[in-house]
Amino acid sequence: MKVIVIGGGPSGMFSSSIISNAGHEVILIEKNEKLGKKLYITGKGRCNVTNNCLPQDFLSNVVTNSKFLYGSIFSFSPSDTIDMIQSEGIELKTERGNRVFPVSDKSSDIIKALQNRCQNSGVKVLLNTEVKDVYKDENSFVVKTNVGDYKSDSLVVCTGGLSYKATGSTGFGYKIAKKFGHNIIEQRPALCPIKLKNSYIKELEGLSLKNVELSAYSNNKLIKSEFGEMLFTRDGISGPIALTISSYINKISNIDLFIDFKPALTFEKLENRLLREFDENKNLQINNILKNLLPKNLISVFLNQIGIDEKLKANSITIEIRRKIVDGLKKFKLDFDRLYDIDYAIITNGGVDTKQINPKTMESKLVENLFFAGEVLDVDALTGGYNIQIALSTANSAAKGVISKWL
């Protein structure tokens, strides 16, 4: 049997190696000059390859279509990924949040492991080969490229999404799917920075906040709260909790964002703390007292936003002003503008409609012997190694699906 796999990312490499190991002829087509180009930049070049957690915990970190992934994640779990990478001689380590990285901190090691599997199994790899068109000729798929035409009995589409266009992500896989009659869910940015309207943002550029809580509301209804670290950028916010929030609000309008600077303290406990601070520092200005509660370069912005004179002394602060400060510390409003463009997103939300894909085999329900795996599907998860694991798990299901068709 002949199989063509389009896309040389993690899902393309992994599915190719499994199918080839089963004794089938596999051609892996990649338009870039090397395999795994997007993997090189993931995790800031360190490649957070998976998350060392149980499948059920893994699925709780999937934002879109977690039920669809149930079979794939249990069939090829994070522990299976760890075993697979280590079997190729790459040492791994688990860091905070169960995030798994190569000991070398080099993404090239993860790519090397997947490349080795392709090479050792006999996959024919075509680099610098761009697919121009795909169609079906009777029972065969015809793949037209810039270097010639290729035929196969089965076709596996692993072309990724739209994020990181510099790595070759153009959404071509959606065109293939659409040509064969599939519904394509609108693509939106996921795990991306958030733009704000606040005029003071430039003053805070580069400021990092730790142990804060960012909450998103729509029409006064809580959408998602996330605790951890965030970063002010030139025109908005980024960092782990901002990226997470972005994946929950990319389909929602009328967004309001709030920061809780002291999530470990209730309103009452925070007000009591302020009372003590004011009582012990009666002649100090409020901007000096707040140094114990906020980063120095945030204090003026904070007081200006809640409408309090930063030179106001503690002995002049009324109950109303004190509670205004507490309210501001617990629910500081950010003026949401929009999410960054999808090219700045870590992952793409949207893609091939999973309702038209067999979740056990990743085979199209519309076209026999047509399979999809990885980010081209409408599945996405949070940061922490989850999305690469999805690529590998769906690739495993697709490969096993291809093999089962030709037993």
Side-chain angles (χ1 to χ4, degrees), residues 69-346:
L69 292 169
Y70 187 92
S72 290
I73 297 300
F74 273 89
S75 296
F76 192 81
S77 67
S79 63
D80 293 321
T81 291
I82 292 169
D83 290 342
M84 182 267 289
I85 298 294
Q86 289 182 333
S87 72
E88 296 297 330
I90 305 300
E91 292 184 61
L92 299 174
K93 60 183 177 180
T94 301
E95 297 187 357
R96 182 166 56 93
N98 294 322
R99 298 173 183 228
V100 179
F101 295 87
V103 168
S104 65
D105 284 330
K106 293 180 180 177
S107 57
S108 57
D109 276 356
I110 303 301
I111 298 167
K112 187 191 302 179
L114 293 169
Q115 283 178 325
N116 286 345
R117 290 182 62 86
C118 288
Q119 185 176 352
N120 294 337
S121 63
V123 175
K124 182 179 179 181
V125 178
L126 302 180
L127 299 175
N128 297 303
T129 304
E130 186 173 0
V131 176
K132 299 294 186 180
D133 192 18
V134 178
Y135 61 90
K136 203 165 187 185
D137 180 15
E138 294 183 352
N139 293 322
S140 297
F141 290 94
V142 179
V143 179
K144 300 179 75 68
T145 78
N146 61 318
V147 296
D149 298 351
Y150 300 89
K151 278 191 172 185
S152 68
D153 301 299
S154 291
L155 180 67
V156 187
V157 180
C158 305
T159 50
L162 278 176
S163 56
Y164 290 117
K165 290 185 178 68
T167 64
S169 300
T170 62
F172 184 71
Y174 307 140
K175 292 181 180 178
I176 297 174
K178 199 168 185 179
K179 184 169 186 176
F180 285 110
H182 291 83
N183 181 39
I184 306 300
I185 306 300
E186 181 184 353
Q187 297 87 60
R188 303 171 189 269
L191 299 179
C192 68
I194 299 170
K195 284 196 174 186
L196 302 176
K197 297 176 184 176
N198 304 86
S199 59
Y200 60 75
I201 286 299
K202 288 184 180 179
E203 298 175 45
L204 301 178
E205 182 179 1
L207 175 64
S208 178
L209 299 177
K210 294 183 179 181
N211 302 319
V212 297
E213 186 172 77
L214 181 65
S215 298
Y217 290 78
S218 178
N219 299 320
N220 296 318
K221 180 183 177 182
L222 178 65
I223 303 302
K224 180 69 175 176
S225 287
E226 195 70 16
F227 172 83
E229 298 178 22
M230 61 173 280
L231 173 74
F232 284 99
T233 65
R234 179 176 56 84
D235 55 3
I237 53 174
S238 188
I241 62 175
L243 297 180
T244 294
I245 291 292
S246 75
S247 288
Y248 288 93
I249 63 175
N250 55 13
K251 298 176 184 175
I252 299 172
S253 57
N254 301 319
I255 296 296
D256 290 310
L257 297 174
F258 297 93
I259 302 175
D260 184 346
F261 293 110
K262 297 295 171 186
L265 299 176
T266 62
F267 278 81
E268 185 180 12
K269 286 182 178 179
L270 184 55
E271 186 174 18
N272 288 336
R273 178 172 170 177
L274 277 175
L275 272 170
R276 289 195 305 272
E277 294 274 1
F278 296 159
D279 189 52
E280 293 168 4
N281 303 281
K282 290 184 173 65
N283 294 312
L284 275 186
Q285 295 177 173
I286 183 62
N287 58 349
N288 288 317
I289 294 174
L290 286 180
K291 287 178 183 178
N292 296 324
L293 292 166
L294 292 173
K296 185 178 179 181
N297 50 346
L298 178 59
I299 294 171
S300 291
V301 167
F302 172 79
L303 290 171
N304 185 55
Q305 285 301 110
I306 64 173
I308 293 176
D309 184 353
E310 61 183 276
K311 294 181 179 179
L312 186 69
K313 290 189 176 182
N315 57 16
S316 299
I317 292 175
T318 62
I319 293 175
E320 289 75 18
I321 292 175
R322 185 177 71 240
R323 288 185 176 166
K324 199 173 184 180
I325 295 170
V326 174
D327 287 341
L329 289 170
K330 293 295 291 179
K331 203 171 183 180
F332 184 76
K333 192 173 189 303
L334 301 174
D335 292 330
F336 176 79
D337 184 3
R338 59 187 173 86
L339 299 184
Y340 270 55
D341 182 82
I342 199 165
D343 197 36
Y344 294 90
I346 293 174

